Amino acid sequence: EKQIVSIKMDVLWEFKEELKDTIEARIIECLKIDKENGNGYYYLGKLKEEKGESDKANFLYKKAFEYGSKKPEIFEMLSRECIKENDIEKALEYCKMIDETWAHFRAGLIYQRLGHHETACKELQQVTNKEPMNANAWKALGHSNILLNRWMVA
């Protein structure tokens, strides 16, 4: 039954525009059946985020992570919250759990902050390879290269 509920929540999410007024209640009903469905909490978090209720969204994203959801937005929020709390090592852990361009960029900046410029270069190069026009990534990469005395590369 849990697998059916999971599929039902995915389908509900696909039709969220058509179900505007009832989608939240329907996802909550599904979560009553499967209280440990990470994607259900993720979907509720997205709805709260769209309504501007960031505290509720963050709480739901944390629940989604606890129950195994691997959606990129969850890792982005968790790493952002850790940075706000000045727990950059934990933020780095979240960035390393996912292969997304933003995660490599954020990891590169964190490595810079920690003084690990060689590793920062590796992370930032992944960003510039995927997004060659990303000026911020090039700037950060140049900064680390200068600190590593790689003047010609920078």
Side-chain angles (χ1 to χ4, degrees):
E1 187 173 4
K2 287 183 178 186
Q3 188 176 11
I4 293 170
V5 169
S6 185
I7 292 168
K8 182 177 179 180
M9 280 194 269
D10 291 341
V11 171
L12 287 170
W13 189 253
E14 288 299 316
F15 290 98
K16 76 176 187 158
E17 293 302 318
E18 292 83 353
L19 301 169
K20 286 180 216 182
D21 301 333
T22 63
I23 187 165
E24 188 171 340
R26 290 175 184 224
I27 291 174
I28 290 170
E29 285 300 314
C30 290
L31 281 169
K32 288 178 182 177
I33 297 168
D34 183 4
K35 292 175 176 61
E36 296 181 359
N37 187 303
N39 286 344
Y41 292 104
Y42 164 75
Y43 295 141
L44 283 180
K46 287 293 289 180
L47 291 172
K48 296 298 181 185
E49 187 175 19
E50 289 171 6
K51 292 179 181 178
E53 299 174 24
S54 60
D55 289 342
K56 289 180 183 177
N58 290 348
F59 172 79
L60 291 163
Y61 284 157
K62 287 177 185 173
K63 293 287 279 186
F65 178 75
E66 288 173 25
Y67 290 121
S69 184
K70 303 290 186 210
K71 304 285 186 183
E73 294 92 341
I74 294 169
F75 292 94
E76 197 280 330
M77 182 281 304
L78 290 170
S79 67
R80 186 174 7 100
E81 290 296 307
C82 288
I83 291 169
K84 282 182 189 174
E85 297 166 5
N86 207 30
D87 188 356
I88 59 173
E89 287 84 7
K90 187 69 174 174
L92 182 58
E93 285 179 37
Y94 288 126
C95 290
K96 289 166 54 176
M97 289 180 182
I98 191 161
D99 184 23
E100 295 282 328
T101 304
W102 68 262
H104 291 291
F105 182 71
R106 186 168 292 165
L109 296 178
I110 291 170
Y111 280 122
Q112 282 183 333
R113 192 168 167 187
L114 295 171
H116 303 294
H117 293 284
E118 190 68 49
T119 310
C121 285
K122 290 176 184 170
E123 292 291 337
L124 294 165
Q125 283 171 338
Q126 290 191 49
V127 178
T128 58
N129 288 341
K130 291 179 184 175
E131 296 180 0
M133 301 305 287
N134 187 326
N136 289 327
W138 283 108
K139 181 180 174 183
L141 180 58
H143 178 76
S144 280
N145 277 314
I146 287 170
L147 291 172
L148 291 168
N149 292 318
R150 296 180 186 155
W151 299 95
M152 298 304 286
V153 176

